[in-house]
Amino acid sequence: MSELEMRVSDEDRERTAQQLQRAFTEGRLNQLELEDRLEVALTAKTYGDLLGLIADLPPELPAVDDVVLLESKSGHIKRSGDWAVPRRLRAVSKYGSVEIDFSQATIPYPVVELELELKYGSATIVLPEGGAVNVDGFQNTWGSTTTTNVPGRPRPGGVHVVVSGESKYGQLVVRYPRRRWFTH
């Protein structure tokens, strides 16, 4: 059996539908083309069915490694700005802090798994507006975990970050970007 004959999942269908909708908003497809392709995408059975729908569109986001490891013994780990988010991200820090800012990142996945291994350091996670977080898999021995005003259940169209791992003495803060009062 070839790869094109393999059966697709609901997530594969949804990802293709989102790519078609982005192509429509960019003006690459007209309304009728979008409707026709979406009908096929949502009922597709094989990868061949889906690939035929997007073959004439520019490729999606750049490929991102499936798991990325960020590691530091005593320094500060920081990811912010315009960066490509992997499906799984693991940050390991013995004494330093970790700051992961998703607010301006390119996130091709609806769910991102973030594993934190902290001994004495703390972590700050900044979600894009509409994002949600699940911290149930994160254990904090002597520190604290704060998710003020951030929903724990996935929201339609927003990224859902699932945090796991542990911290001995540090804290975990999950928040939205701070609003800037004086912008030009």
Side-chain angles (χ1 to χ4, degrees), residues 68-151:
V68 172
L69 172 64
L70 306 173
E71 192 169 13
S72 173
K73 186 172 184 175
S74 61
H76 182 71
I77 297 173
K78 182 175 183 176
R79 281 288 195 274
S80 63
D82 183 13
W83 61 289
V85 177
R87 184 183 310 270
R88 294 186 61 224
L89 184 62
R90 185 167 188 256
V92 179
S93 180
K94 188 167 185 175
Y95 298 105
S97 60
V98 174
E99 183 180 346
I100 308 292
D101 185 343
F102 293 106
S103 64
Q104 296 176 16
T106 301
I107 309 171
Y109 310 104
V111 176
V112 173
E113 297 174 30
L114 174 59
E115 181 182 352
L116 299 171
E117 290 298 326
L118 310 170
K119 293 288 185 194
Y120 301 99
S122 296
T124 301
I125 311 301
V126 181
L127 297 178
E129 292 296 332
V133 67
N134 178 335
V135 294
D136 294 343
F138 184 76
Q139 298 177 348
N140 208 325
T141 306
W142 295 99
S144 62
T145 301
T146 306
T147 60
T148 308
N149 298 325
V150 176

Side-chain angles (χ1 to χ4, degrees), residues 6-25:
M6 290 178 62
R7 296 184 68 84
V8 296
S9 68
D10 289 339
E11 185 178 329
D12 296 324
R13 289 183 198 95
E14 182 61 31
R15 191 172 24 255
T16 301
Q18 289 174 356
Q19 185 176 353
L20 292 170
Q21 289 168 339
R22 276 190 294 276
F24 172 73
T25 60

